[in-house]
Amino acid sequence: MTERVQELLDTFTAPGANAAELLCDRHPAGDTAFTVITADLGAVDISYGELREKSTQFAAALTSLGIKRGDHVATLMAKSAELVIALLGIWRLGAVDVPLFTAFAHDAIDFRLQASSTRLVICDADQRKKLLPAGEVPTDASRPVVVARGEAFGYDLAFADMVAGTGAFTPAHDKHDGGSVAVGGDGALVQLFTSGTTGSPKGVSIPLNAVASFVGYHRFGLDVRDDDVFWNMADPGWAYGLYFALLAPMAAGNRSLLLSAGFSPELTWAVMEKFSVTNFAAAPTVYRSLRAGSAPGQGHVLRRASSAGEPLTPDVIDWGRDAFGLEVRDHYGQTELGMVAGNAWADGLQEELRPGSMGEPLPGWSVDVLADDSDERAADGEPGRIALNVRESPFMWFTGYVDAPVKTAERYSADGTWYITGDAGRRDQDGYIYFSARDDDVVIMAGYRIGPFDVESVLVTHPAVSEAAVIGTPDEIRGEVLEAFVVLRESGAASAALVAELQQLVKTGFAAHAYPRRIHFVAELPKTPSGKVQRFVLRRDRAAMTDLD
């Protein structure tokens, strides 16, 4: 495994590393890169040769719009062939993708566009209205927008015209030499944003050399083989989907399925069966939903099933043995790292599962548990802080948050040896790691990380609200859901109608998936002497409630 780690590093960290070449052009043109599946189980294959041709033309069109190396271009797109073509076109120019989750509302989108200095947005037609505040229309002074999978309007550009070289866009050889920019291993591919408990979302720059670690997980953790039918259900607007449903399969030259439809247990089973999926990855929420909505005797040919995004409970593992005839294996990582530990599937790494453990460090990573009060290793079995030894992790690529030196410093030990994940856990005597809690109050719902601050910031814009605090509470399907504790300006204003109004405010002001499922109106919030909200007290109080409270 050490040799394979070094081979990947040599490939993706080279000064002349070229993203388009490594992700697309070096693979046989006739090989299928993606199978895009619709809700009615129709499917279209797109080959590496088609990706090369169409993304080259799209890069030419972007060049005609003035996009160049280092520019930020946002993608507000669902899983589709158009998304992959757009990404490769961006990377051919040495430009940087800014992924936007399609459930985000205008304000969340606009913050990321402003913070990343995005020059142009590519979006699906059904997402276009989110780019401007309600009631406004595009003008010639607006940021340029390219519309895919639907009609462009106003001052927008049509993705289909850009790819085809029609309309205002001439054939590729007139606008672009058909080559691509080599940004090198340190060159940026993507700028993602991750949320914490306080302050604005933090930018994470993903360099090309990070793909080495993504392919490592693809091979070591997931054990994706060249003859697999691989399906990672995660959304590409978030790290696990972007890294491991798009980047890693492309870099490895493997076929990956993209379902261009909403989730349902019935559709998931149907895709598994019709397309003979052999290697499947999803958040625990998906497995819990399958368990709740699946009929016995479903046919499938799975040989690998993996989980990530939130802790995997033992009951799902037990169910998987019956439903799949194999164990669902839990893996652990972060936006800033990719996947660093897990119950690996690859031959030579596979070990017997231990209930509740998220596994061992994966090749290329050194993961341990530090004491709570020092940067020394915690004793076996003792609770502490999950951390990475930077000097002993050759796959380590995160160097800091964009323009946030203080937040970056908080992630590292004073001597720079340890990267502190912000998660708590313990290690047993054999090196298996057990997750216990997040120490930064971030809520993970259905695999999506949600910062309480983002939701609280929307709630307090309502004229009836004085203060708000958000916590995560256990949920059988989603793992966690959000609940809000709200202090009103006038105590008598509490009502069911106000609850619905606040929930809708979050849906439209932040993200459709991140609204609080319950809102509790309280006289005051528990705080420290310095005024910081004590969310642990709220969690304790919520645990003492009954479902009827």
Side-chain angles (χ1 to χ4, degrees):
M1 297 297 178
T2 301
E3 291 182 1
R4 181 59 177 143
V5 168
Q6 190 57 53
E7 289 174 5
L8 290 169
L9 289 170
D10 290 344
T11 299
F12 289 94
T13 63
N18 182 309
E21 172 68 21
L22 292 171
L23 298 174
C24 178
D25 300 353
R26 64 175 175 158
H27 303 311
D31 285 3
T32 299
F34 293 94
T35 297
V36 182
I37 303 167
T38 55
D40 61 0
L41 298 182
V44 175
D45 290 336
I46 183 165
S47 69
Y48 283 102
E50 291 175 278
L51 284 179
R52 178 173 186 171
E53 177 183 354
K54 292 179 178 180
S55 65
T56 298
Q57 177 58 60
F58 188 63
L62 290 177
T63 298
S64 72
L65 297 173
I67 301 300
K68 61 187 183 302
R69 177 173 180 168
D71 287 342
H72 287 66
V73 177
T75 48
L76 180 60
M77 306 173 75
K79 289 170 275 192
S80 63
E82 289 83 356
L83 169 62
V84 183
I85 292 166
L87 292 175
L88 282 170
I90 292 167
W91 294 331
R92 283 190 185 281
L93 300 180
V96 180
D97 173 49
V98 180
L100 300 170
F101 184 37
T102 53
F104 280 151
H106 170 266
D107 289 352
I109 291 168
D110 190 60
F111 170 83
R112 287 159 176 79
L113 297 180
Q114 298 293 343
S116 61
S117 300
T118 288
R119 290 196 56 196
L120 176 145
V121 180
I122 309 163
C123 71
D124 291 335
D126 62 0
Q127 297 289 321
R128 177 63 179 90
K129 62 184 179 181
K130 295 180 181 178
L131 296 178
L132 290 171
E136 290 193 16
V137 297
T139 70
D140 58 358
S142 301
R143 180 186 289 109
V145 175
V146 177
V147 175
R149 305 173 73 197
E151 294 296 323
F153 63 93
Y155 291 93
D156 295 341
L157 303 163
F159 181 89
D161 289 346
M162 296 174 71
V163 171
T166 57
F169 304 102
T170 56
H173 62 265
D174 289 337
K175 291 289 183 183
H176 188 67
D177 65 8
S180 53
V181 175
V183 298
D186 293 333
L189 287 185
V190 176
Q191 183 172 329
L192 270 172
F193 287 85
T194 184
S195 296
T197 54
T198 59
S200 302
K202 303 180 291 296
V204 178
S205 180
I206 294 97
L208 179 54
N209 62 48
V211 180
S213 71
F214 302 162
V215 178
Y217 171 67
H218 184 77
R219 295 300 194 202
F220 306 141
L222 299 174
D223 189 35
V224 179
R225 301 178 184 178
D226 292 343
D227 59 353
D228 266 330
V229 178
F230 174 61
W231 185 21
N232 178 349
M233 286 194 68
D235 192 284
W238 296 87
Y240 195 71
L242 177 66
Y243 297 172
F244 306 114
L246 298 183
L247 280 167
M250 281 196 288
N254 294 135
R255 173 194 181 202
S256 181
L257 303 187
L258 296 177
L259 177 61
S260 185
F263 170 77
S264 76
E266 296 75 19
L267 181 57
T268 302
W269 282 117
V271 170
M272 283 191 192
E273 294 175 17
K274 178 172 181 178
F275 295 91
S276 299
V277 175
T278 59
N279 198 313
F280 182 65
T285 298
V286 169
Y287 292 105
R288 288 192 287 266
S289 297
L290 290 176
R291 180 182 60 181
S294 62
Q298 296 284 355
H300 65 83
V301 292
L302 281 183
R303 68 175 194 87
R304 299 288 186 255
S306 304
S307 174
E310 56 183 299
L312 184 68
T313 50
D315 58 305
V316 175
I317 297 173
D318 291 339
W319 169 82
R321 292 189 182 103
D322 294 331
F324 299 134
L326 52 84
E327 300 163 327
V328 181
R329 290 185 162 244
D330 192 17
H331 302 144
Y332 169 81
Q334 292 186 327
T335 298
E336 297 94 330
L337 305 170
M339 304 305 289
V340 299
N343 296 283
W345 275 114
D347 292 343
L349 294 175
Q350 208 176 127
E351 301 283 354
E352 184 176 350
L353 288 185
R354 301 192 181 192
S357 173
M358 64 187 191
E360 301 174 282
L362 293 168
W365 297 100
S366 176
V367 187
D368 214 323
V369 178
L370 301 182
D372 284 328
D373 56 358
S374 73
D375 293 334
E376 302 295 328
R377 296 176 75 245
D380 293 343
E382 291 295 319
R385 300 168 295 156
I386 299 173
L388 276 74
N389 188 313
V390 176
R391 297 183 174 92
E392 296 179 7
S393 297
F395 272 156
M396 182 68 179
W397 53 267
F398 176 75
T399 57
Y401 298 111
V402 177
D403 299 326
V406 174
K407 292 294 183 183
T408 297
E410 292 172 355
R411 282 295 194 187
Y412 288 89
S413 62
D415 64 357
T417 298
W418 296 99
Y419 168 87
I420 313 299
T421 64
D423 292 329
R426 60 184 174 85
R427 177 196 61 253
D428 68 19
Q429 61 184 5
D430 297 318
Y432 285 77
I433 299 172
Y434 298 75
F435 176 93
S436 62
R438 290 169 302 282
D439 64 10
D440 63 358
D441 293 322
V442 168
V443 179
I444 300 182
M445 185 183 74
Y448 299 126
R449 292 177 63 87
I450 303 168
F453 176 81
D454 291 314
V455 181
E456 293 161 0
S457 296
V458 175
L459 290 171
V460 298
T461 65
H462 192 284
V465 175
S466 173
E467 292 183 290
V470 171
I471 63 169
T473 60
D475 181 79
E476 183 176 351
I477 298 297
R478 300 177 182 86
E480 285 186 300
V481 293
L482 281 81
E483 296 195 18
F485 290 78
V486 172
V487 178
L488 297 176
R489 297 185 186 279
E490 297 181 8
S491 59
S495 67
L498 180 57
V499 169
E501 194 174 328
L502 292 173
Q503 289 173 328
Q504 185 60 37
L505 183 66
V506 175
K507 290 179 183 179
T508 57
F510 174 52
H513 69 296
Y515 70 94
R517 264 53 179 185
R518 289 190 179 190
I519 294 177
H520 310 277
F521 296 110
V522 294
E524 60 181 0
L525 298 176
K527 297 179 181 178
T528 65
S530 63
K532 183 177 180 181
V533 174
Q534 295 175 306
R535 291 189 181 85
F536 75 92
V537 175
L538 295 177
R539 287 193 290 268
R540 183 194 64 200
D541 292 347
R542 178 63 184 91
M545 297 179 185
T546 69
D547 288 340
L548 298 179
D549 286 341

